[in-house]
Amino acid sequence: MRTSLALAVSAALVAGTALGLAPAAQAAETGIRFVDIAGEGGTVLKANVVTPAGAGASARLPLIVLPTSWAMPQIEYLAQAKKLADSGYIVVSYNSRGFWQSGGEIETAGPKDIADASKVIDWALANTPADAGHVGMAGVSYGAGISLLTAAHDPRVKAVAALSGWADLIESIYSGRTQHLQAAALLGGAGYLTGRPGPELKEILGDFLSSNLDKEDEMIAWGRERSPVTYLDRINANGAAIMLGNAWGDTIFPPNQYASFYEKLTGPKRLEFRPGDHATAEATGLFGLPNDTWTNAHRWFDRHLKGVDNGIDREQPVQLKSRSADGYEGYPDWKSVHANQRKFDLDGTQRVWANVDSGANGGITLLTNLLDQFLRTPPTVSVPLLPRAFAGVWQSERYDTPQRVRGTAKVHTTVTSTKESGTLVAYLYDVGPLGVGKLVSNAPYTFHGKTPGKPFAVDLELFSTAYDVPAGHRLALVVDTVDPLYIEHNPTGAQLTFSSPSADPSYVSVPLREK
């Protein structure tokens, strides 16, 4: 399986890079070299170096380092590396430790991975005409996380483009104290197929997927060590210009944690959200095709590594593209996205049985939101037909004008459980005249150690999004207890009751764009 996957991925990427690279006979003119770089502890990292044509040994050119994504081979970025080299950059891309032909074991963006990135910078400064004062890093997914972490630990990094990455690993795959099952299984499986997981990763993954709550504190500590937000003070002190890009429907690294991190950055910064799932917004650019994300990443480096006055720093720093419409919307900051809030009440009392999937769910990792990106077809349900024994349903009034949802919807409710543990999943739907609901957003929530029969308040942020609800439609909140995306913790026979006490009413708060 590993050999087949290697051949398939390599063939696809080679075919793609052919769109952006010269034929093999001309490759030497572009200055492409495949090299071995000694990483931390002497571990061999397989890398490629792309140098601008005609760059002499005495030249001093800006450097960009590209760590590969999780499970991807070292040719992943060749198309973009060629474009960057053509515009005057030295580009070094390397296979992250533990994957493919690179040595070592998978450290999951641990200290050795950060040290590897600094070793690659050392090597580039010693073996290419790279300028130590103008160093940038970029990457997709795993490469994005390593780039942000390196910016915290190595002050030579002056600019970063972190695409489809994470700032908070815990909030990414353990949000709402709920294991994101499909995301973790996909990452774990790909790691085993294309690399060599170390003992620590094997143990963490096993405890995570088996819901070993006795190891919860250890798993959280492991995740914090690998979260850029943990080192926010260092990133701000070093002052690197940070560009963050992600997809609204990223089922591995949801957008909320990126937006929260963005707000805390104090240096030059930019935040871009687009339709899609994990890494799908950047994917066409890896094949050398036109791509907004990569175009802006190049502009970001041109401005902050070359000093080119291309206007990117005068644009609104928060750029959003709706899932329902073309074009981008600019905002001065993330808070402005939430400036206009509209609530609808979750009146009455509803009781649901746990452990049964009502039919409402968030889809399939990588597939569902990819279809939404290109075909605008989010998951749908018939809201009137949802079984009320297994799903709580509340609906707003019908809206006379379009409702442009932008940002993070929040749910506040009171829950009473017959058991001490449980999981609920909240879904926000756009419901048309025939009762068909299109998924706007969702999020899970898990509790442990509650007193059976005693009410407790729940505050839950749904995953951030940008979605336009047409006039004549209404919004609906659906809550059930099972979703294939997540691991649920509902004991057999459990019931959950949702109520709205007069002293603490339940509601959904929806952020709307006014115009």
Side-chain angles (χ1 to χ4, degrees):
M1 291 178 67
R2 181 174 171 179
T3 302
S4 299
L5 182 62
L7 291 173
V9 173
S10 298
L13 285 170
V14 168
T17 53
L19 298 172
L21 295 171
Q26 301 174 11
E29 298 178 10
T30 65
I32 302 173
R33 291 186 291 145
F34 291 87
V35 300
D36 290 349
I37 297 176
E40 177 68 8
T43 297
V44 174
L45 305 175
K46 295 294 183 177
N48 55 70
V49 184
V50 186
T51 307
S58 61
R60 282 296 171 261
L61 302 173
L63 167 68
I64 294 178
V65 174
L66 303 169
T68 55
S69 303
W70 186 271
M72 295 298 283
Q74 62 165 304
I75 62 171
E76 176 185 9
Y77 299 114
L78 275 182
Q80 289 302 319
K82 171 61 166 53
K83 290 177 182 289
L84 287 164
D86 285 346
S87 61
Y89 293 93
I90 303 291
V91 185
V92 180
S93 175
Y94 70 95
N95 233 136
S96 301
R97 159 186 301 262
F99 286 104
W100 299 88
Q101 287 78 34
S102 283
E105 297 175 326
I106 300 172
E107 297 286 333
T108 322
K112 290 181 181 179
D113 288 305
I114 301 167
D116 283 345
S118 291
K119 293 286 188 182
V120 171
I121 294 173
D122 293 341
W123 183 93
L125 296 178
N127 294 277
T128 73
D131 183 354
H134 297 84
V135 177
M137 290 188 69
V140 175
S141 185
Y142 195 46
I146 291 175
S147 295
L148 287 172
L149 288 164
T150 306
H153 291 82
D154 192 329
R156 294 176 297 181
V157 178
K158 303 301 182 186
V160 172
L163 312 177
S164 287
W166 76 91
D168 190 326
L169 194 57
I170 301 162
E171 282 300 308
S172 294
I173 61 174
Y174 195 50
S175 68
R177 208 180 176 186
T178 308
Q179 297 98 323
H180 293 212
L181 172 61
Q182 291 185 18
L186 178 65
L187 292 173
Y192 274 95
L193 283 172
T194 63
R196 298 168 298 282
E200 186 178 36
L201 175 57
K202 291 178 181 178
E203 182 177 356
I204 288 289
L205 192 61
D207 290 337
F208 187 82
L209 293 176
S210 65
S211 303
N212 186 354
L213 293 178
D214 291 338
K215 296 294 186 69
E216 184 179 36
D217 290 343
E218 293 178 28
M219 290 186 282
I220 289 174
W222 180 87
R224 282 179 178 155
E225 185 181 22
R226 289 157 171 79
S227 296
V229 70
T230 301
Y231 312 100
L232 180 68
D233 290 347
R234 294 188 193 179
I235 293 174
N236 285 335
N238 290 341
I242 306 292
M243 172 182 161
L244 304 172
N246 204 355
W248 293 120
D250 194 320
T251 47
I252 295 180
F253 303 130
N256 304 46
Q257 44 93 32
Y258 244 16
S260 176
F261 178 69
Y262 169 84
E263 283 290 273
K264 298 181 180 75
L265 293 170
T266 59
K269 58 184 180 179
R270 182 178 176 92
L271 177 67
E272 300 182 355
F273 285 145
R274 299 175 174 83
D277 205 315
H278 184 65
T280 64
E282 302 86 19
T284 56
L286 296 177
F287 295 98
L289 299 171
N291 181 278
D292 290 349
T293 306
W294 282 106
T295 295
N296 286 339
H298 289 217
R299 294 174 63 218
W300 190 250
F301 287 130
D302 286 347
R303 181 71 188 99
H304 295 286
L305 294 182
K306 287 183 175 181
V308 176
D309 187 9
N310 54 20
I312 194 168
D313 53 335
R314 293 189 295 276
E315 297 173 359
Q316 296 274 39
V318 175
Q319 294 286 322
L320 311 181
K321 185 176 183 181
S322 170
R323 293 163 48 203
S324 312
D326 295 324
Y328 290 87
E329 303 166 357
Y331 298 82
D333 51 38
W334 181 246
K335 292 179 181 177
S336 298
V337 179
H338 298 81
N340 181 33
Q341 298 278 334
R342 184 168 184 172
K343 293 183 179 180
F344 70 88
D345 295 330
L346 306 179
D347 291 328
T349 298
Q350 299 195 33
R351 181 178 292 107
V352 301
W353 288 95
N355 298 309
V356 177
D357 191 340
S358 70
N361 66 71
I364 301 172
T365 291
L366 296 184
L367 176 61
T368 298
N369 292 314
L370 178 66
L371 294 175
D372 187 40
Q373 175 184 351
F374 290 105
L375 303 177
R376 294 179 181 168
T377 55
T380 60
V381 295
S382 174
V383 173
L385 297 181
L386 286 171
R388 297 312 198 259
F390 310 117
V393 180
W394 298 263
Q395 297 192 71
S396 72
E397 78 277 16
R398 185 173 287 108
Y399 300 115
D400 295 330
T401 59
Q403 305 294 294
R404 296 177 176 86
V405 180
R406 299 292 185 272
T408 310
K410 299 178 181 179
V411 176
H412 174 76
T413 188
T414 295
V415 177
T416 306
S417 174
T418 60
K419 304 291 184 179
E420 66 172 16
S421 296
T423 297
L424 60 93
V425 185
Y427 309 87
L428 188 65
Y429 284 101
D430 158 26
V431 185
L434 299 179
V436 175
K438 296 181 178 180
L439 186 63
V440 177
S441 185
N442 77 100
Y445 181 91
T446 293
F447 58 89
H448 297 287
K450 297 297 183 182
T451 302
K454 183 177 180 179
F456 59 94
V458 169
D459 288 286
L460 176 61
E461 288 190 350
L462 305 188
F463 299 135
S464 303
T465 194
Y467 181 96
D468 298 342
V469 179
H473 287 212
R474 66 180 77 215
L475 287 169
L477 182 77
V478 175
V479 180
D480 71 2
T481 62
V482 176
D483 190 307
L485 286 172
Y486 314 113
I487 292 177
E488 51 92 5
H489 296 262
N490 295 299
T492 302
Q495 283 184 294
L496 300 181
T497 300
F498 302 91
S499 58
S500 183
S502 58
D504 185 20
S506 298
Y507 61 85
V508 177
S509 179
V510 182
L512 301 175
R513 181 178 173 89
E514 292 184 338
K515 297 181 180 179

